[in-house]
Amino acid sequence: MSLTKEAQKKLEYSGYRFVGQHGHAAAKICHWTKQSILDKGVCYKEKFYGVKSHRCLQMSPAVPYCQQECEFCWRDLSYTKTEWKGEYDDPKTIIDEAIKAQNNLLCGFFGNDKANREKLEESKTPTNAAISLAGEPTLYPEIDELIAEFNRRNFTTFLVSNGQYVEKLKNLETEPYQLYLSLDAPSKKIYDDVCNPQIKEGWMNLNESLETLASFNSRTCIRTTCVKGKNMENPEEYGNLIKKADPTFVEIKAYMCVGSSRERLTLDNMPSFDEVKEFARKIGEHCGKEIVNESEISRVVLLQ
Protein backbone atom coordinates (compact mmCIF):
# COMPACT_ATOMS: atom_id res chain seq x y z
CA MET A 1 0.00 0.00 0.00
CA SER A 2 1.57 3.28 -1.14
CA LEU A 3 -0.65 5.57 0.94
CA THR A 4 -1.98 5.29 4.47
CA LYS A 5 -5.70 4.53 4.71
CA GLU A 6 -6.18 8.00 6.20
CA ALA A 7 -4.43 9.77 3.30
CA GLN A 8 -6.37 7.67 0.79
CA LYS A 9 -9.69 8.50 2.51
CA LYS A 10 -8.87 12.20 2.45
CA LEU A 11 -8.20 12.07 -1.30
CA GLU A 12 -11.31 9.99 -1.96
CA TYR A 13 -13.33 12.61 -0.10
CA SER A 14 -12.01 15.21 -2.57
CA GLY A 15 -13.05 13.12 -5.58
CA TYR A 16 -10.17 10.71 -6.20
CA ARG A 17 -10.93 7.06 -6.94
CA PHE A 18 -8.03 4.70 -6.36
CA VAL A 19 -7.64 1.83 -8.81
CA GLY A 20 -5.69 -1.42 -8.67
CA GLN A 21 -4.51 -3.21 -5.53
CA HIS A 22 -1.53 -1.12 -4.41
CA GLY A 23 -2.92 2.36 -3.78
CA HIS A 24 -0.68 4.35 -6.13
CA ALA A 25 -2.95 4.96 -9.15
CA ALA A 26 -6.11 7.04 -9.26
CA ALA A 27 -8.61 8.80 -11.49
CA LYS A 28 -10.60 11.97 -10.78
CA ILE A 29 -13.25 13.73 -12.83
CA CYS A 30 -11.94 17.04 -14.12
CA HIS A 31 -14.08 20.14 -13.53
CA TRP A 32 -14.17 20.72 -17.29
CA THR A 33 -15.40 17.21 -18.05
CA LYS A 34 -18.49 17.98 -15.95
CA GLN A 35 -18.88 21.45 -17.44
CA SER A 36 -18.69 20.07 -20.98
CA ILE A 37 -21.37 17.43 -20.29
CA LEU A 38 -23.61 20.26 -19.07
CA ASP A 39 -22.68 22.42 -22.11
CA LYS A 40 -21.24 25.05 -19.77
CA GLY A 41 -17.82 25.38 -21.37
CA VAL A 42 -14.73 23.32 -22.13
CA CYS A 43 -11.14 22.97 -20.97
CA TYR A 44 -8.51 25.11 -22.65
CA LYS A 45 -7.01 21.85 -24.00
CA GLU A 46 -10.09 21.55 -26.22
CA LYS A 47 -9.70 25.14 -27.37
CA PHE A 48 -5.94 24.85 -27.96
CA TYR A 49 -5.53 21.26 -29.13
CA GLY A 50 -8.97 19.86 -29.96
CA VAL A 51 -9.04 17.40 -27.04
CA LYS A 52 -12.69 16.72 -26.17
CA SER A 53 -13.24 17.62 -22.51
CA HIS A 54 -16.13 15.17 -22.06
CA ARG A 55 -13.94 12.29 -23.29
CA CYS A 56 -10.86 13.09 -21.22
CA LEU A 57 -9.66 10.71 -18.49
CA GLN A 58 -7.70 12.56 -15.80
CA MET A 59 -5.49 10.06 -14.00
CA SER A 60 -2.13 9.31 -12.45
CA PRO A 61 -0.19 6.08 -11.97
CA ALA A 62 1.98 7.65 -9.23
CA VAL A 63 -0.17 9.69 -6.84
CA PRO A 64 2.14 9.55 -3.78
CA TYR A 65 5.44 9.93 -5.65
CA CYS A 66 7.20 13.17 -6.62
CA GLN A 67 10.72 14.61 -6.24
CA GLN A 68 9.43 18.14 -5.64
CA GLU A 69 7.11 19.78 -3.14
CA CYS A 70 6.10 22.82 -5.17
CA GLU A 71 4.61 25.69 -3.18
CA PHE A 72 1.82 26.12 -5.73
CA CYS A 73 0.81 22.42 -5.85
CA TRP A 74 -2.81 21.91 -4.83
CA ARG A 75 -2.01 18.50 -3.32
CA ASP A 76 -1.40 17.64 0.30
CA LEU A 77 2.38 17.16 0.25
CA SER A 78 2.69 15.46 3.63
CA TYR A 79 2.75 11.94 2.12
CA THR A 80 5.00 12.54 -0.90
CA LYS A 81 7.83 10.06 -1.45
CA THR A 82 10.69 10.65 -3.90
CA GLU A 83 11.41 7.01 -4.83
CA TRP A 84 9.22 4.07 -5.75
CA LYS A 85 9.04 1.38 -3.12
CA GLY A 86 7.12 -1.86 -3.20
CA GLU A 87 4.87 -3.57 -5.70
CA TYR A 88 2.72 -1.92 -8.32
CA ASP A 89 -0.28 -2.58 -10.54
CA ASP A 90 0.10 -3.31 -14.24
CA PRO A 91 -0.97 -0.78 -16.90
CA LYS A 92 -3.98 -2.76 -18.19
CA THR A 93 -5.46 -3.02 -14.71
CA ILE A 94 -4.89 0.69 -14.07
CA ILE A 95 -6.52 1.76 -17.35
CA ASP A 96 -9.48 -0.66 -17.12
CA GLU A 97 -10.25 0.37 -13.57
CA ALA A 98 -9.66 4.09 -14.19
CA ILE A 99 -12.22 4.08 -17.02
CA LYS A 100 -14.64 2.15 -14.82
CA ALA A 101 -14.12 4.58 -11.93
CA GLN A 102 -14.71 7.54 -14.24
CA ASN A 103 -17.96 5.99 -15.50
CA ASN A 104 -19.12 5.39 -11.94
CA LEU A 105 -18.39 8.99 -11.01
CA LEU A 106 -20.29 10.27 -14.05
CA CYS A 107 -23.34 8.02 -13.67
CA GLY A 108 -25.22 10.69 -11.67
CA PHE A 109 -25.35 12.87 -14.79
CA PHE A 110 -27.72 10.36 -16.42
CA GLY A 111 -30.41 11.63 -14.03
CA ASN A 112 -29.66 15.27 -14.83
CA ASP A 113 -32.03 16.87 -17.36
CA LYS A 114 -29.41 19.50 -18.20
CA ALA A 115 -26.81 16.93 -19.30
CA ASN A 116 -26.03 16.62 -23.00
CA ARG A 117 -27.13 13.03 -23.78
CA GLU A 118 -24.80 12.60 -26.74
CA LYS A 119 -21.76 13.75 -24.76
CA LEU A 120 -22.80 11.58 -21.83
CA GLU A 121 -22.87 8.47 -24.01
CA GLU A 122 -19.49 9.38 -25.53
CA SER A 123 -18.00 10.01 -22.08
CA LYS A 124 -18.31 6.27 -21.36
CA THR A 125 -15.44 5.67 -23.80
CA PRO A 126 -12.77 8.31 -23.15
CA THR A 127 -10.28 9.05 -25.94
CA ASN A 128 -7.66 11.18 -24.18
CA ALA A 129 -5.61 10.44 -21.07
CA ALA A 130 -4.34 13.41 -19.08
CA ILE A 131 -1.57 11.64 -17.15
CA SER A 132 -1.17 14.53 -14.77
CA LEU A 133 -3.58 14.23 -11.85
CA ALA A 134 -0.97 14.10 -9.07
CA GLY A 135 2.58 12.93 -8.47
CA GLU A 136 5.34 12.43 -11.06
CA PRO A 137 4.14 9.84 -13.61
CA THR A 138 7.63 8.90 -14.86
CA LEU A 139 8.35 7.38 -11.43
CA TYR A 140 5.78 4.65 -12.17
CA PRO A 141 8.03 1.73 -13.21
CA GLU A 142 5.90 0.82 -16.24
CA ILE A 143 5.18 4.31 -17.59
CA ASP A 144 6.41 3.21 -21.04
CA GLU A 145 3.97 0.32 -21.15
CA LEU A 146 1.16 2.51 -19.77
CA ILE A 147 1.54 4.94 -22.71
CA ALA A 148 1.80 2.00 -25.13
CA GLU A 149 -1.41 0.46 -23.72
CA PHE A 150 -3.25 3.77 -24.08
CA ASN A 151 -1.97 3.93 -27.68
CA ARG A 152 -3.29 0.43 -28.39
CA ARG A 153 -6.70 1.68 -27.25
CA ASN A 154 -6.49 4.67 -29.63
CA PHE A 155 -6.13 7.25 -26.87
CA THR A 156 -4.15 10.44 -27.21
CA THR A 157 -1.90 10.89 -24.16
CA PHE A 158 -0.83 14.11 -22.48
CA LEU A 159 2.02 13.30 -20.09
CA VAL A 160 3.08 16.00 -17.63
CA SER A 161 6.55 15.68 -16.08
CA ASN A 162 8.70 17.74 -13.71
CA GLY A 163 11.83 16.64 -15.62
CA GLN A 164 13.52 15.14 -12.57
CA TYR A 165 13.80 11.56 -13.81
CA VAL A 166 16.10 12.40 -16.72
CA GLU A 167 17.08 8.81 -17.56
CA LYS A 168 13.46 7.74 -17.85
CA LEU A 169 12.65 10.66 -20.16
CA LYS A 170 15.74 10.00 -22.28
CA ASN A 171 14.88 6.33 -22.66
CA LEU A 172 11.12 6.47 -23.20
CA GLU A 173 10.48 3.93 -25.95
CA THR A 174 6.87 4.98 -26.41
CA GLU A 175 6.43 8.72 -26.70
CA PRO A 176 3.18 10.30 -25.52
CA TYR A 177 1.01 12.26 -27.96
CA GLN A 178 2.11 15.43 -26.16
CA LEU A 179 4.87 15.66 -23.56
CA TYR A 180 4.69 18.51 -21.06
CA LEU A 181 7.68 19.66 -19.08
CA SER A 182 7.08 21.99 -16.14
CA LEU A 183 9.37 25.01 -16.09
CA ASP A 184 8.44 27.09 -13.06
CA ALA A 185 11.58 29.12 -12.44
CA PRO A 186 14.11 31.12 -14.46
CA SER A 187 17.02 30.43 -12.08
CA LYS A 188 18.29 27.90 -9.54
CA LYS A 189 17.51 30.17 -6.59
CA ILE A 190 13.87 30.68 -7.59
CA TYR A 191 13.58 26.99 -8.50
CA ASP A 192 14.81 25.95 -5.04
CA ASP A 193 12.41 28.40 -3.34
CA VAL A 194 9.29 27.68 -5.40
CA CYS A 195 9.67 24.03 -6.44
CA ASN A 196 11.29 22.90 -3.19
CA PRO A 197 13.17 19.90 -4.67
CA GLN A 198 13.54 16.92 -2.33
CA ILE A 199 16.63 15.68 -4.17
CA LYS A 200 19.96 17.48 -4.53
CA GLU A 201 20.31 17.69 -8.32
CA GLY A 202 16.91 19.27 -9.02
CA TRP A 203 17.96 22.28 -11.11
CA MET A 204 20.58 20.27 -12.99
CA ASN A 205 18.05 17.53 -13.80
CA LEU A 206 15.53 20.06 -15.08
CA ASN A 207 18.10 21.64 -17.40
CA GLU A 208 19.16 18.25 -18.73
CA SER A 209 15.52 17.36 -19.41
CA LEU A 210 15.01 20.66 -21.22
CA GLU A 211 17.88 19.73 -23.52
CA THR A 212 16.41 16.24 -23.99
CA LEU A 213 13.01 17.65 -25.03
CA ALA A 214 14.34 18.77 -28.41
CA SER A 215 15.06 15.12 -29.34
CA PHE A 216 11.41 14.02 -29.05
CA ASN A 217 9.41 13.31 -32.19
CA SER A 218 6.10 13.85 -30.40
CA ARG A 219 4.56 17.25 -29.76
CA THR A 220 6.20 18.92 -26.77
CA CYS A 221 5.07 21.69 -24.49
CA ILE A 222 6.70 23.77 -21.78
CA ARG A 223 4.26 24.76 -19.06
CA THR A 224 4.97 27.57 -16.63
CA THR A 225 2.75 28.18 -13.61
CA CYS A 226 3.00 31.86 -12.72
CA VAL A 227 3.01 32.63 -9.01
CA LYS A 228 2.82 36.38 -8.39
CA GLY A 229 5.63 37.65 -6.17
CA LYS A 230 7.51 34.35 -6.53
CA ASN A 231 8.54 33.41 -10.07
CA MET A 232 7.20 36.10 -12.43
CA GLU A 233 10.55 37.70 -13.17
CA ASN A 234 13.48 37.38 -15.60
CA PRO A 235 11.43 36.65 -18.76
CA GLU A 236 14.72 36.69 -20.68
CA GLU A 237 16.01 33.72 -18.65
CA TYR A 238 12.76 31.82 -19.19
CA GLY A 239 13.17 32.56 -22.90
CA ASN A 240 16.72 31.16 -22.94
CA LEU A 241 15.64 27.96 -21.19
CA ILE A 242 12.70 27.53 -23.58
CA LYS A 243 14.98 28.03 -26.60
CA LYS A 244 17.14 25.20 -25.32
CA ALA A 245 14.10 22.87 -25.21
CA ASP A 246 12.72 23.98 -28.59
CA PRO A 247 9.13 22.91 -27.72
CA THR A 248 6.17 22.83 -30.12
CA PHE A 249 4.13 24.91 -27.65
CA VAL A 250 4.55 26.98 -24.50
CA GLU A 251 1.71 27.39 -22.00
CA ILE A 252 1.95 30.25 -19.53
CA LYS A 253 -0.66 29.75 -16.84
CA ALA A 254 -1.72 31.48 -13.63
CA TYR A 255 -1.36 29.82 -10.26
CA MET A 256 -4.83 29.11 -8.88
CA CYS A 257 -5.35 29.40 -5.13
CA VAL A 258 -7.01 26.03 -4.56
CA GLY A 259 -6.56 22.87 -2.49
CA SER A 260 -3.65 22.51 -0.10
CA SER A 261 -1.70 25.32 -1.81
CA ARG A 262 -3.86 27.70 0.25
CA GLU A 263 -1.84 26.65 3.30
CA ARG A 264 1.34 27.89 1.60
CA LEU A 265 0.21 30.77 -0.62
CA THR A 266 -2.58 33.38 -0.69
CA LEU A 267 -4.93 34.99 -3.22
CA ASP A 268 -2.30 37.73 -3.62
CA ASN A 269 -0.06 35.14 -5.34
CA MET A 270 -2.67 34.61 -8.07
CA PRO A 271 -1.87 36.81 -11.09
CA SER A 272 -4.65 38.32 -13.19
CA PHE A 273 -5.17 37.16 -16.76
CA ASP A 274 -3.70 40.45 -18.05
CA GLU A 275 -0.56 39.96 -15.92
CA VAL A 276 -0.14 36.42 -17.24
CA LYS A 277 -0.63 37.62 -20.81
CA GLU A 278 1.92 40.42 -20.45
CA PHE A 279 4.47 38.09 -18.86
CA ALA A 280 3.88 35.54 -21.65
CA ARG A 281 4.40 38.24 -24.27
CA LYS A 282 7.77 39.15 -22.74
CA ILE A 283 8.86 35.50 -22.58
CA GLY A 284 7.78 35.08 -26.21
CA GLU A 285 9.98 37.99 -27.26
CA HIS A 286 13.00 36.18 -25.82
CA CYS A 287 12.30 32.75 -27.32
CA GLY A 288 10.92 33.70 -30.73
CA LYS A 289 7.31 32.68 -30.05
CA GLU A 290 4.07 34.62 -29.98
CA ILE A 291 0.65 34.30 -28.39
CA VAL A 292 -1.59 32.25 -30.70
CA ASN A 293 -4.44 31.35 -28.34
CA GLU A 294 -5.80 32.12 -24.89
CA SER A 295 -8.40 31.10 -22.33
CA GLU A 296 -9.30 33.91 -19.97
CA ILE A 297 -11.39 31.72 -17.62
CA SER A 298 -8.40 29.41 -17.06
CA ARG A 299 -5.92 32.33 -17.12
CA VAL A 300 -3.68 30.59 -19.64
CA VAL A 301 -2.11 31.66 -22.93
CA LEU A 302 -0.53 29.56 -25.65
CA LEU A 303 2.71 30.56 -27.36
CA GLN A 304 3.89 29.02 -30.60
Side-chain angles (χ1 to χ4, degrees):
M1 181 65 71
S2 301
L3 282 168
T4 63
K5 279 270 187 278
E6 190 188 352
Q8 205 165 330
K9 260 194 185 137
K10 201 172 167 187
L11 287 171
E12 281 173 353
Y13 181 72
S14 67
Y16 284 66
R17 288 299 176 269
F18 283 86
V19 299
Q21 301 300 305
H22 297 102
H24 59 79
K28 183 178 189 274
I29 302 290
C30 172
H31 164 75
W32 290 110
T33 299
K34 298 176 191 171
Q35 292 295 92
S36 177
I37 287 170
L38 296 170
D39 288 329
K40 285 185 175 178
V42 293
C43 169
Y44 71 89
K45 287 195 198 77
E46 183 161 328
K47 197 179 179 199
F48 293 179
Y49 313 117
V51 168
K52 297 295 177 198
S53 301
H54 67 287
R55 301 190 78 174
C56 188
L57 174 69
Q58 182 183 229
M59 58 82 68
S60 170
V63 174
Y65 299 98
C66 192
Q67 306 94 330
Q68 298 178 171
E69 292 185 359
C70 300
E71 271 193 313
F72 55 82
C73 184
W74 44 269
R75 295 183 306 116
D76 175 1
L77 302 174
S78 60
Y79 53 76
T80 304
K81 305 177 185 82
T82 58
E83 285 177 21
W84 200 281
K85 285 187 175 67
E87 295 178 80
Y88 52 86
D89 292 294
D90 66 280
K92 279 186 176 170
T93 301
I94 291 173
I95 296 171
D96 286 342
E97 293 193 17
I99 293 169
K100 195 174 162 188
Q102 170 126 324
N103 283 336
N104 287 341
L105 286 166
L106 289 174
C107 71
F109 281 93
F110 283 90
N112 187 333
D113 294 340
K114 292 177 180 154
N116 179 321
R117 293 283 154 222
E118 194 181 336
K119 284 185 176 179
L120 208 43
E121 274 308 313
E122 288 182 343
S123 75
K124 289 179 182 177
T125 50
T127 51
N128 180 69
I131 310 172
S132 59
L133 172 61
E136 171 51 42
T138 60
L139 284 169
Y140 171 55
E142 287 196 46
I143 186 64
D144 236 315
E145 182 52 33
L146 184 79
I147 297 167
E149 182 60 28
F150 272 124
N151 286 350
R152 284 192 282 273
R153 299 177 190 217
N154 296 318
F155 272 69
T156 46
T157 47
F158 280 54
L159 179 73
V160 180
S161 175
N162 59 23
Q164 289 305 307
Y165 198 171
V166 185
E167 285 312 303
K168 185 62 77 81
L169 276 182
K170 274 184 176 173
N171 297 305
L172 262 188
E173 284 170 36
T174 312
E175 295 187 1
Y177 177 73
Q178 184 158 310
L179 174 63
Y180 278 86
L181 202 58
S182 300
L183 173 63
D184 302 305
S187 65
K188 184 180 187 301
K189 187 189 181 305
I190 293 173
Y191 169 79
D192 287 341
D193 288 349
V194 173
C195 298
N196 195 15
Q198 301 300 296
I199 54 175
K200 280 181 189 161
E201 309 80 22
W203 181 244
M204 192 179 80
N205 288 345
L206 177 58
N207 277 272
E208 209 176 318
S209 288
L210 287 166
E211 283 164 18
T212 301
L213 208 64
S215 69
F216 273 77
N217 296 314
S218 63
R219 299 175 2 162
T220 54
C221 183
I222 294 288
R223 175 190 282 167
T224 299
T225 300
C226 297
V227 187
K228 196 172 175 179
K230 296 280 186 174
N231 67 355
M232 290 180 77
E233 54 186 80
N234 303 349
E236 187 178 349
E237 284 308 307
Y238 275 108
N240 290 336
L241 291 165
I242 290 165
K243 272 197 285 197
K244 185 159 61 171
D246 191 25
T248 321
F249 308 105
V250 179
E251 286 178 12
I252 309 291
K253 193 177 192 307
Y255 155 68
M256 294 300 195
C257 195
V258 294
S260 291
S261 74
R262 290 172 297 183
E263 293 159 22
R264 302 179 287 270
L265 297 166
T266 69
L267 285 168
D268 293 338
N269 296 118
M270 218 165 105
S272 70
F273 178 61
D274 286 341
E275 286 168 329
V276 169
K277 207 169 165 179
E278 179 56 21
F279 191 56
R281 189 188 60 74
K282 286 178 184 168
I283 290 173
E285 279 175 6
H286 294 293
C287 67
K289 293 187 184 290
E290 55 186 48
I291 295 171
V292 293
N293 213 329
E294 60 184 50
S295 171
E296 187 165 355
I297 194 165
S298 297
R299 299 192 197 185
V300 58
V301 299
L302 184 70
L303 298 170
Q304 199 177 354

